[in-house]
Amino acid sequence: MKNLTEAKTTKRLGIFANTYGGQYIPETLMTELEKVDHAFHTLKDDPDFQAELHDLLINYANRPSLLYYAKNMTEDLGGAKIYLKREDLNHTGAHKINNVIGQALLAKHLGKKRLIAKTGAGQHGVATATIAALFGMECEIFMGKEDTDRQKLNFYRMELLGAKVHPVTTGSMVLKDAINATLQEWASRSEGTFYVMGSAVGPYPFPEMVKYFQSVISKESKQQLKAKENTLPDMVVACVGGGSNAIGSFADYIDDQNVKLVGVEAAGKGVDSDQTAATIERGSVGIFHGMKSLFLQNEDGQINPVYSISAGLDYPGVGPEHATLAKEGRAQYVGITDDEAVQAFEYIAREEGIVAAIESCHAVAYVEKIAPTMSKDQIIVCTLSGRGDKDVASIAKYKGVDIDE
Amino acid sequence: MKNLTEAKTTKRLGIFANTYGGQYIPETLMTELEKVDHAFHTLKDDPDFQAELHDLLINYANRPSLLYYAKNMTEDLGGAKIYLKREDLNHTGAHKINNVIGQALLAKHLGKKRLIAKTGAGQHGVATATIAALFGMECEIFMGKEDTDRQKLNFYRMELLGAKVHPVTTGSMVLKDAINATLQEWASRSEGTFYVMGSAVGPYPFPEMVKYFQSVISKESKQQLKAKENTLPDMVVACVGGGSNAIGSFADYIDDQNVKLVGVEAAGKGVDSDQTAATIERGSVGIFHGMKSLFLQNEDGQINPVYSISAGLDYPGVGPEHATLAKEGRAQYVGITDDEAVQAFEYIAREEGIVAAIESCHAVAYVEKIAPTMSKDQIIVCTLSGRGDKDVASIAKYKGVDIDE
Amino acid sequence: MSNLSAIFKNHKAFIPFVVADDPDFDTTVANIVALAEGGADIVEVGIPFSDPIADGGVIQAADLRAFDAGVRTQTVFEIVAAARKQTDVPIVFLTYLNIVFKYGYDAFCQKCQALGVSGLVIPDMPYESRDDIVPTADKYGIDIIPLIAPTSGHRVEKIAKAASGFIYVVSSLGITGERNEFFNGLKDLVAEIKSYTDVPTAIGFGVHTPEQAKDMAEIADGVIIGSAIVDIVAQKKQAAPEAVEAFTKSIRSAVDEAQEARV
Amino acid sequence: MSNLSAIFKNHKAFIPFVVADDPDFDTTVANIVALAEGGADIVEVGIPFSDPIADGGVIQAADLRAFDAGVRTQTVFEIVAAARKQTDVPIVFLTYLNIVFKYGYDAFCQKCQALGVSGLVIPDMPYESRDDIVPTADKYGIDIIPLIAPTSGHRVEKIAKAASGFIYVVSSLGITGERNEFFNGLKDLVAEIKSYTDVPTAIGFGVHTPEQAKDMAEIADGVIIGSAIVDIVAQKKQAAPEAVEAFTKSIRSAVDEAQEARV
Ligand SMILES: Cc1ncc(COP(=O)(O)O)c(C=O)c1O
Ligand SMILES: Cc1ncc(COP(=O)(O)O)c(C=O)c1O
């Protein structure tokens, strides 16, 4: 193993299209960030690292994930042929595992013995705790006290996997406070500790790194579709929270100009309402959480509260590469409301026997709208970022069904 | 498609070792059973049916399931090399899907438009509802009212998948009453309806049929282990409720006399306690639910209440082929208590980052005991029949953690 | 072979059913006697089973009452022995196969013979499994009463041809319990059975009014009434025998009307 | 470039911090004046931010109080303008970059100039991103005060060499908030900085007692105190200015002792 821990001077990094991205975090963390950057760029092309990563993706994450022809939906919608990229079939049930495997492997090569992460509803926390268990690493997860109270099950699940979960009691005790607490922990104990980023957000190199680890989604889907249909898709659709599954779903198609890329944001109660998470449509340029990107904020630059029925999509920002793709018109971003997503949750269950994550159902809802407007010889690849077992209770409640487990 | 609905006279069928199995159900259902038998035997070797089944197993169930080398467990236990056959990675999260796909396909070929099934905790009901959704069939699930109240989430999940769930209010309103209600429904409307059996139990041809559809587990594991280790396993371990995952895990090895087969039953509070489901160890020969096999019963032949922490294992009988394998000494059956299974639930989560079904953790607990007594050049293949997300809340409660989602 | 078949000779038979030990020992004994007094040709005594898959809610509930009373297989034999002191009405047991299996086929049949029990109705034992017990039953002169259902189709012939005692013709699909509609091909079904055998037929499952009993007795050689009587026991408890006898009489005359109608 | 550096000439500087509009407009104005009266060399005024990732609980809570008071960026400017009527103490803003970005770098810096605000401390803008704003700040003579942390390592040189105004030396890892232990290589760190630049240094993050202030002022050219003062505001609310002034005086003399110790 090379000497990876040596930090070296870096130039201005991670700026997309002269605008988005960059590094906007406290000086205390910059040296650590440089080390991560250096390690990532050294290792990503290292054959040993590649082999190890590949092995974990195949033999732990259960990749390649299925490219599933949704015959019933296709016939029912009567337009484009619909393929679903089934990240819900990964071990732990979502695309998140691709990324945490990559970052944890990097941490291992950096000689780190401890992973830390923040989590909102708990999905990223569970994924991080999972990989820490596999690697025999310590794991500490920061979660707002409000969230640990609401999500006791995920709290216990992380502890079951051997992680220490810290309920954060500062501020409003939710995700943003957990982020603060994690950064504080990272800043005060970066030696030996790796901060596992949960989406394609944050300061460089995180957006690039998370994209790299999630690109396996589009690399596979391209090959798989080639094998099945001997062509490229006409459209790729994925939901966008921070943007990791979407950027991973787009990555290998970005240079294929004929492939339309559509990111689906959570519009909550409506793109134009105050209760939304449609960052690209409703947000404006800002600098936050380490990056320049689009954020839901007021005219003073104060970050707005966000809302979506889906815990995984209610983030006030978006990864800088999505902001860039939107600006350049390479990808299109659309909003889907809570109501539409819930309808899609029911639709795909009934049509295909798939209980998909409510996050992913935002993408499905868009497919329901767009597929009928397309011709039968066109093809949509829609990423199902995760499975929906975690959502069944809350959707039942949303529909007024009384569930008290 | 051949004319499959024509029933023809059958001889004495499905008797193992001159003892177990057979057909012990009301005359009302016999003609239907003959049709199922005939269809199954006609189709199972039909290349079109085979091709369709294969396609569904690959492209819907997400097979082949991973044969996972459990390095951490192997090293920690310090004996035999442990491989886990990962049925938890199937679509819907358990081995059940293999079987319902097969039976539903049979139903389709028989021209049936409606699937019915009984369910206890809801696992088999959800699997059946899933495949009914995919095939666009009607689906009715019978579930004791006590169980629908306890398992509201699975109740809603089945309805989400488009099934009609009937809470059964007769008798003690649990699984046995649901079985009665389903048989009644089948008896009164067998025309157009297929009864989907949930395990390798019941009258012939169900045990043979379920075994056939679940054999994919051992067919795959044999090939996969051959590819990885170029040898047969020394031992195959699987949990036994009705016995479908176990018989599927054993099937392809039964003729390989050097492969030890171990079925793990739920001993509940202890094999010798009254709160147990260890049918083979504690049961005696009887005739029930359509078959001659081993049952937990009193000396008059009244069926005993059973108990296990695991909803999927608390069945008072066992499939007739297991009774036979036990009698002949070809397979060995051991009991694992609630406490041991819960410990294994935690153990495998911490060691491998896998949250496995509490049913499957009975098998894992046995592996924990036996592996250290074996040599390092020996190999165990243990089937993880399902994932444990469904169990996290109840295990937390068992451990005294307060979870109210 | 028993003398069951002979009962149906030029006589429409009425076969009522009670569950043993429901609600207690003495009441069951008294009920059997009352049935005999009321004019039953054969009394069918149900041995309670933990999981009566062919039975509806009424009989399930009766089984539970019997278990509450502590019923064992041995208790059922004792009830019949006690009844035998007051009546020699022909008796058959309705029992799920496991009860017989666990007692031992030979011991069970021997016991039946000793108690003057002529036959066994075993709802979960189809034609395919009859060889398990028929040779043993034959040895003790016990008839295994087969069931034929509206769905039996091509199976009718072989079942009918192998039958002895009488043939239990299932009136409709599903399980026991009171019904207001029956399979409308019953007449043809009975005719088909008759084409294969002289063994008499009795229709049961859901019959509960005198009118229905008369209708069924017109079609077949006899009629079986279960849930309706068990329901009386459920209502009246220890006071049941009187009501049971009254009900039996009402059915008896309905059945007799069918007899006269035919004559 | 501002005249901030000059303040440190032969003088240990004390730089206290308050959050604008906590708990209200007038109190903040009075606090700024009290700090000046108490002997502050530079007053650091915090512009509240919705998500102050570098700040601990004390300052987060102050931000929330300011939002409750309805603070806007414009309000902060008005507070400074009001304070300017009573004091010409040097002022710097502590602000997260997004506040400045949204206002517009040019407009913001111009405003600072107009208000006599000499510098900006931006905790989420590292060296790599300074070019976003430095050219604009230079245009208006505003210093962008860089931070150097115990973890800065090889970065110290480039940060120090590019610095103007003063250098904010972070006393320890983590976020703001009162601390009892500091990074024990602070002396070496300051010495290293000095080897690259003449720009003065001030140590902050967690300093809260006169003794600590004296210790830090012996190491560096100045000391910054934030949470301790914000805490007084939290306790005393509208009555804070008097207590703030008293506390400032106690720190002032502790810092002056360090000054004397060195001379
Ligand atoms: C299933 C699922 N899909 C999507 C997301 C959104 O994240 P991202 O936009 O990073 O893919 C999440 C986040 O928790 C998730 O759990
Ligand atoms: C995950 C899992 N494993 C095992 C079983 C036991 O069934 P069988 O013995 O038929 O495999 C069940 C039944 O519900 C189950 O859900």
Side-chain angles (χ1 to χ4, degrees):
Chain A
M1 201 163 71
K2 318 213 176 67
N3 181 2
L4 297 168
T5 49
E6 182 195 317
K8 63 164 207 238
T9 309
T10 50
K11 286 195 273 28
R12 191 81 195 267
L13 289 167
I15 305 285
F16 293 93
N18 264 319
T19 308
Y20 298 114
Q23 295 177 303
Y24 298 89
I25 55 162
E27 171 59 23
T28 321
L29 297 169
M30 282 303 297
T31 302
E32 192 55 32
L33 208 59
E34 287 177 8
K35 287 183 196 166
V36 171
D37 178 25
H38 180 239
F40 170 59
H41 283 94
T42 310
L43 286 170
K44 83 184 182 63
D45 301 314
D46 178 277
D48 291 350
F49 181 85
Q50 279 293 343
E52 240 181 304
L53 178 62
H54 185 74
D55 178 66
L56 285 162
L57 289 176
I58 302 288
N59 290 312
Y60 194 68
N62 195 33
R63 305 205 68 87
S65 72
L66 211 55
L67 183 70
Y68 171 77
Y69 170 47
K71 185 159 170 283
N72 295 344
M73 278 178 64
T74 300
E75 284 169 7
D76 181 64
L77 298 171
K81 211 162 169 183
I82 299 158
Y83 280 91
L84 302 173
K85 182 63 176 158
R86 300 286 302 277
E87 297 298 306
D88 61 311
L89 294 170
N90 295 346
H91 177 53
T92 69
H95 69 294
K96 301 261 171 202
I97 193 79
N98 306 327
N99 170 43
V100 297
I101 283 179
Q103 290 189 48
L105 196 59
L106 207 59
K108 197 176 127 189
H109 280 258
L110 278 165
K112 306 285 189 183
K113 300 260 178 292
R114 191 171 76 126
L115 301 181
I116 62 171
K118 53 106 233 297
T119 196
Q123 297 304 110
H124 174 58
V126 170
T128 305
T130 297
I131 202 71
L134 183 70
F135 282 4
M137 287 177 173
E138 271 180 75
C139 182
E140 286 177 52
I141 303 292
F142 295 82
M143 192 168 175
K145 174 87 168 50
E146 282 284 322
D147 291 330
T148 55
D149 287 349
R150 275 189 296 221
Q151 304 281 341
K152 287 203 182 127
L153 208 50
N154 270 345
F155 186 117
Y156 178 71
R157 189 177 272 131
M158 289 182 267
E159 299 218 310
L160 178 66
L161 291 158
K164 172 96 201 69
V165 185
H166 300 280
V168 175
T169 54
T170 50
S172 35
M173 309 192 197
V174 296
L175 179 62
K176 63 158 90 176
D177 310 290
I179 294 178
N180 291 352
T182 321
L183 287 175
Q184 165 180 21
E185 178 67 18
W186 194 28
S188 49
R189 263 185 72 190
S190 65
E191 186 73 33
T193 295
F194 193 95
Y195 179 104
V196 182
M197 183 63 77
S199 188
V201 297
Y204 173 90
F206 284 115
E208 180 183 326
M209 191 159 90
V210 174
K211 176 190 181 185
Y212 178 82
F213 292 130
Q214 290 292 3
S215 294
V216 66
I217 300 174
S218 51
K219 285 202 187 111
E220 284 176 7
S221 75
K222 197 179 215 177
Q223 273 188 8
Q224 290 167 319
L225 196 70
K226 178 115 193 138
K228 283 175 198 266
E229 304 272 358
N230 197 26
T231 181
L232 288 172
D234 295 276
M235 184 183 282
V236 174
V237 182
C239 67
V240 178
S244 66
N245 95 85
I247 203 70
S249 302
F250 295 171
D252 218 39
Y253 299 108
I254 293 180
D255 292 338
D256 300 314
Q257 296 293 338
N258 289 334
V259 179
K260 259 191 108 166
L261 306 175
V262 182
V264 185
E265 301 193 298
K269 312 249 174 190
V271 171
D272 297 322
S273 77
D274 275 349
Q275 294 191 276
T276 185
T279 314
I280 295 184
E281 291 146 286
R282 270 288 298 276
S284 60
V285 184
I287 296 168
F288 184 51
H289 278 166
M291 61 188 172
K292 186 180 282 184
S293 190
L294 294 166
F295 298 96
L296 291 168
Q297 53 183 331
N298 72 14
E299 40 186 343
D300 280 358
Q302 308 292 353
I303 303 304
N304 284 344
V306 278
Y307 167 80
S308 159
I309 189 173
S310 135
L313 301 183
D314 65 351
Y315 179 68
V318 69
E321 193 165 353
H322 287 295
T324 310
L325 293 170
K327 188 181 170 193
E328 292 173 341
R330 177 64 193 93
Q332 184 195 346
Y333 294 84
V334 298
I336 284 292
T337 64
D338 286 0
D339 281 351
E340 291 170 326
V342 168
Q343 174 281 327
F345 186 80
E346 298 177 328
Y347 177 75
I348 188 172
R350 242 155 245 220
E351 286 293 330
E352 301 289 348
I354 297 173
V355 178
I358 188 67
E359 288 82 5
S360 320
C361 290
H362 285 74
V364 173
Y366 180 73
V367 169
E368 282 184 66
K369 288 186 185 181
I370 198 74
T373 72
M374 293 168 67
S375 77
K376 286 186 201 258
D377 57 5
Q378 291 188 294
I379 294 172
I380 299 174
V381 171
C382 172
T383 299
L384 287 195
S385 53
R387 65 167 117 100
D389 303 71
K390 67 183 181 56
D391 300 309
V392 173
S394 63
I395 302 296
K397 273 179 207 141
Y398 185 88
K399 301 286 291 183
V401 178
D402 163 42
I403 302 262
D404 44 272
E405 286 158 88
Chain B
M1 199 164 69
K2 318 214 174 68
N3 181 2
L4 297 168
T5 50
E6 181 195 317
K8 64 160 209 245
T9 309
T10 50
K11 286 194 271 30
R12 192 82 196 267
L13 289 167
I15 305 284
F16 293 93
N18 263 318
T19 308
Y20 297 115
Q23 294 177 302
Y24 298 90
I25 55 161
E27 171 59 22
T28 321
L29 296 170
M30 282 304 296
T31 304
E32 192 55 32
L33 208 59
E34 288 177 5
K35 287 183 197 166
V36 171
D37 177 25
H38 180 240
F40 170 59
H41 283 94
T42 311
L43 286 170
K44 86 186 179 67
D45 302 314
D46 178 276
D48 290 350
F49 181 86
Q50 280 293 343
E52 239 180 306
L53 178 61
H54 186 75
D55 177 66
L56 284 162
L57 289 176
I58 303 287
N59 291 312
Y60 193 69
N62 196 34
R63 305 206 67 85
S65 71
L66 211 56
L67 183 70
Y68 170 78
Y69 171 47
K71 186 157 169 283
N72 295 344
M73 278 177 66
T74 301
E75 284 170 6
D76 181 63
L77 298 171
K81 211 164 170 183
I82 299 159
Y83 279 91
L84 302 173
K85 181 63 176 158
R86 299 286 303 276
E87 297 298 306
D88 61 310
L89 294 170
N90 295 345
H91 177 54
T92 68
H95 69 293
K96 302 260 170 204
I97 193 80
N98 306 326
N99 171 43
V100 297
I101 283 180
Q103 290 191 47
L105 195 60
L106 206 61
K108 198 178 127 187
H109 278 259
L110 277 165
K112 304 286 189 184
K113 301 259 178 294
R114 191 171 75 126
L115 302 181
I116 62 171
K118 52 105 233 296
T119 197
Q123 297 305 110
H124 175 56
V126 170
T128 305
T130 297
I131 202 72
L134 182 72
F135 282 5
M137 289 177 171
E138 271 180 74
C139 181
E140 289 177 51
I141 303 293
F142 294 82
M143 193 169 175
K145 174 87 166 53
E146 284 282 322
D147 289 330
T148 55
D149 288 348
R150 275 188 294 220
Q151 304 282 341
K152 287 204 182 128
L153 207 51
N154 269 344
F155 186 116
Y156 178 71
R157 190 177 270 129
M158 289 182 266
E159 298 219 310
L160 178 67
L161 290 159
K164 171 99 200 69
V165 185
H166 300 281
V168 175
T169 54
T170 51
S172 36
M173 309 191 197
V174 294
L175 179 62
K176 64 158 92 175
D177 310 289
I179 294 179
N180 290 351
T182 321
L183 287 174
Q184 164 180 20
E185 178 68 18
W186 193 28
S188 50
R189 263 185 73 190
S190 65
E191 186 73 31
T193 294
F194 193 94
Y195 179 103
V196 182
M197 184 62 78
S199 189
V201 297
Y204 173 88
F206 284 114
E208 181 182 325
M209 192 159 89
V210 173
K211 176 190 180 185
Y212 178 81
F213 292 130
Q214 291 292 4
S215 294
V216 66
I217 301 174
S218 51
K219 285 200 187 114
E220 284 177 8
S221 75
K222 197 178 216 178
Q223 273 189 8
Q224 290 167 319
L225 196 70
K226 179 114 190 139
K228 284 175 198 266
E229 304 272 357
N230 196 28
T231 182
L232 288 172
D234 295 275
M235 183 183 281
V236 174
V237 182
C239 67
V240 178
S244 67
N245 96 84
I247 202 71
S249 302
F250 295 171
D252 218 39
Y253 298 107
I254 293 179
D255 292 337
D256 299 314
Q257 296 293 336
N258 290 333
V259 180
K260 260 192 106 164
L261 306 175
V262 182
V264 184
E265 302 194 300
K269 312 248 176 191
V271 170
D272 297 323
S273 77
D274 275 350
Q275 296 190 274
T276 184
T279 315
I280 296 185
E281 291 146 286
R282 269 289 299 277
S284 60
V285 184
I287 294 168
F288 185 50
H289 278 165
M291 61 188 171
K292 186 180 283 185
S293 190
L294 295 167
F295 297 96
L296 291 169
Q297 52 183 332
N298 71 15
E299 40 187 340
D300 279 357
Q302 309 291 352
I303 303 304
N304 285 343
V306 277
Y307 166 80
S308 160
I309 188 173
S310 136
L313 301 183
D314 64 352
Y315 179 68
V318 70
E321 192 163 357
H322 286 294
T324 311
L325 293 172
K327 188 181 170 195
E328 293 174 339
R330 176 63 192 95
Q332 183 196 345
Y333 294 82
V334 297
I336 284 292
T337 64
D338 287 359
D339 281 350
E340 290 169 327
V342 168
Q343 175 280 327
F345 186 79
E346 298 177 326
Y347 178 74
I348 189 173
R350 244 156 244 220
E351 286 293 330
E352 301 290 349
I354 297 172
V355 177
I358 188 68
E359 288 82 5
S360 319
C361 290
H362 286 74
V364 173
Y366 180 72
V367 169
E368 283 184 67
K369 288 186 185 177
I370 198 74
T373 72
M374 294 168 69
S375 77
K376 285 187 201 257
D377 57 5
Q378 292 189 296
I379 294 172
I380 298 175
V381 171
C382 171
T383 299
L384 287 195
S385 53
R387 64 167 119 97
D389 304 70
K390 67 183 180 55
D391 300 310
V392 173
S394 62
I395 302 296
K397 273 180 206 138
Y398 186 87
K399 300 288 291 183
V401 178
D402 164 42
I403 301 264
D404 44 272
E405 289 157 86
Chain C
M1 220 198 285
S2 74
N3 54 358
L4 283 172
S5 291
I7 298 167
F8 297 78
K9 272 259 157 67
N10 299 319
H11 175 76
K12 295 289 184 182
F14 169 45
I15 311 170
F17 170 85
V18 282
V19 171
D21 220 16
D22 166 28
D24 56 37
F25 192 104
D26 293 341
T27 308
T28 309
V29 173
N31 279 333
I32 294 171
V33 174
L35 289 168
E37 301 286 315
D41 295 298
I42 302 168
V43 174
E44 194 178 328
V45 175
I47 306 183
F49 186 48
S50 52
D51 296 77
I53 60 159
D55 288 302
V58 170
I59 293 174
Q60 282 180 39
D63 284 359
L64 290 181
R65 289 192 297 272
F67 285 121
D68 282 345
V71 70
R72 305 272 325 251
T73 304
Q74 191 53 38
T75 319
V76 180
F77 294 143
E78 286 160 13
I79 285 170
V80 172
R84 274 285 168 259
K85 295 192 179 138
Q86 302 177 56
T87 177
D88 55 5
V89 68
I91 289 177
V92 297
F93 280 141
L94 180 129
T95 174
Y96 287 80
L97 187 56
N98 200 41
I99 303 293
V100 189
F101 175 76
K102 275 302 256 188
Y103 200 88
Y105 293 149
D106 198 282
F108 194 98
C109 291
Q110 190 178 359
K111 193 84 198 179
C112 288
Q113 186 188 45
L115 291 165
V117 171
S118 317
L120 301 179
V121 180
I122 308 176
D124 60 347
M125 192 189 70
Y127 176 83
E128 281 70 7
S129 304
R130 67 194 296 277
D131 287 351
D132 282 18
I133 189 169
V134 166
T136 312
D138 279 351
K139 195 167 105 189
Y140 295 100
I142 311 294
D143 287 317
I144 301 300
I145 313 299
L147 292 92
I148 287 181
T151 50
S152 292
H154 73 102
R155 302 169 49 82
V156 172
E157 178 173 359
K158 66 181 170 194
I159 299 173
K161 284 183 170 164
S164 75
F166 63 93
I167 292 170
Y168 194 134
V169 179
V170 177
S171 69
S172 47
L173 299 175
I175 49 167
T176 62
E178 302 182 4
R179 276 196 179 63
N180 294 317
E181 282 183 43
F182 301 104
F183 172 57
N184 59 20
L186 278 178
K187 216 172 246 166
D188 292 344
L189 181 57
V190 171
E192 190 193 347
I193 295 170
K194 294 268 167 234
S195 76
Y196 300 124
T197 182
D198 291 335
V199 174
T201 55
I203 298 180
F205 265 49
V207 182
H208 61 114
T209 65
E211 295 68 38
Q212 291 172 337
K214 176 166 176 278
D215 290 349
M216 294 302 142
E218 278 168 7
I219 296 172
D221 304 311
V223 58
I224 303 164
I225 294 192
S227 297
I229 291 165
V230 173
D231 214 18
I232 294 172
V233 181
Q235 305 298 327
K236 307 270 169 169
K237 307 269 155 52
Q238 279 73 8
E242 201 177 333
V244 163
E245 185 170 338
F247 180 76
T248 307
K249 284 181 170 152
S250 73
I251 301 291
R252 175 76 267 167
S253 42
V255 171
D256 287 345
E257 274 176 49
Q259 176 71 21
E260 284 150 28
R262 193 192 251 187
V263 175
Chain D
M1 220 195 287
S2 74
N3 56 356
L4 284 171
S5 291
I7 298 167
F8 298 76
K9 272 258 158 70
N10 298 320
H11 174 78
K12 294 289 182 181
F14 169 44
I15 311 169
F17 169 85
V18 282
V19 171
D21 220 16
D22 166 31
D24 57 36
F25 192 104
D26 293 341
T27 307
T28 309
V29 174
N31 279 333
I32 294 171
V33 174
L35 290 168
E37 300 286 315
D41 293 298
I42 302 169
V43 174
E44 196 179 326
V45 175
I47 306 183
F49 186 48
S50 52
D51 296 77
I53 60 159
D55 289 301
V58 169
I59 293 175
Q60 283 180 37
D63 285 358
L64 290 181
R65 288 192 299 272
F67 285 121
D68 283 344
V71 72
R72 305 270 327 247
T73 304
Q74 193 50 41
T75 319
V76 181
F77 293 144
E78 286 160 13
I79 285 171
V80 173
R84 274 283 168 257
K85 293 190 180 141
Q86 302 178 56
T87 177
D88 57 4
V89 68
I91 289 178
V92 298
F93 280 140
L94 180 130
T95 175
Y96 286 82
L97 187 56
N98 200 40
I99 302 293
V100 188
F101 175 75
K102 276 302 257 189
Y103 200 88
Y105 291 150
D106 199 282
F108 194 96
C109 290
Q110 191 177 0
K111 195 83 196 177
C112 287
Q113 187 186 47
L115 291 166
V117 170
S118 318
L120 301 178
V121 180
I122 308 176
D124 61 347
M125 191 188 70
Y127 176 84
E128 281 69 7
S129 303
R130 66 194 296 277
D131 287 351
D132 283 17
I133 189 168
V134 165
T136 312
D138 279 351
K139 197 168 103 186
Y140 295 99
I142 310 293
D143 287 317
I144 301 298
I145 313 298
L147 292 93
I148 288 181
T151 51
S152 292
H154 72 101
R155 301 168 51 80
V156 171
E157 179 174 356
K158 65 181 170 194
I159 299 173
K161 285 185 172 165
S164 73
F166 65 93
I167 293 170
Y168 193 134
V169 179
V170 177
S171 69
S172 47
L173 299 176
I175 48 168
T176 62
E178 302 181 5
R179 274 192 180 68
N180 294 315
E181 282 183 42
F182 302 103
F183 172 56
N184 59 20
L186 280 177
K187 218 172 243 169
D188 292 345
L189 181 57
V190 171
E192 190 192 347
I193 296 171
K194 293 271 168 228
S195 78
Y196 300 124
T197 182
D198 290 336
V199 175
T201 55
I203 298 180
F205 267 49
V207 181
H208 62 115
T209 66
E211 296 68 38
Q212 290 173 335
K214 177 165 177 278
D215 291 349
M216 294 303 140
E218 276 169 7
I219 296 172
D221 303 313
V223 59
I224 303 163
I225 294 192
S227 299
I229 292 166
V230 173
D231 214 18
I232 294 173
V233 180
Q235 308 296 326
K236 306 272 170 163
K237 308 269 157 51
Q238 279 73 9
E242 200 177 336
V244 164
E245 186 171 337
F247 180 76
T248 307
K249 283 180 171 156
S250 73
I251 301 292
R252 176 74 266 167
S253 42
V255 171
D256 287 345
E257 273 176 51
Q259 176 71 20
E260 284 152 29
R262 196 192 247 189
V263 175

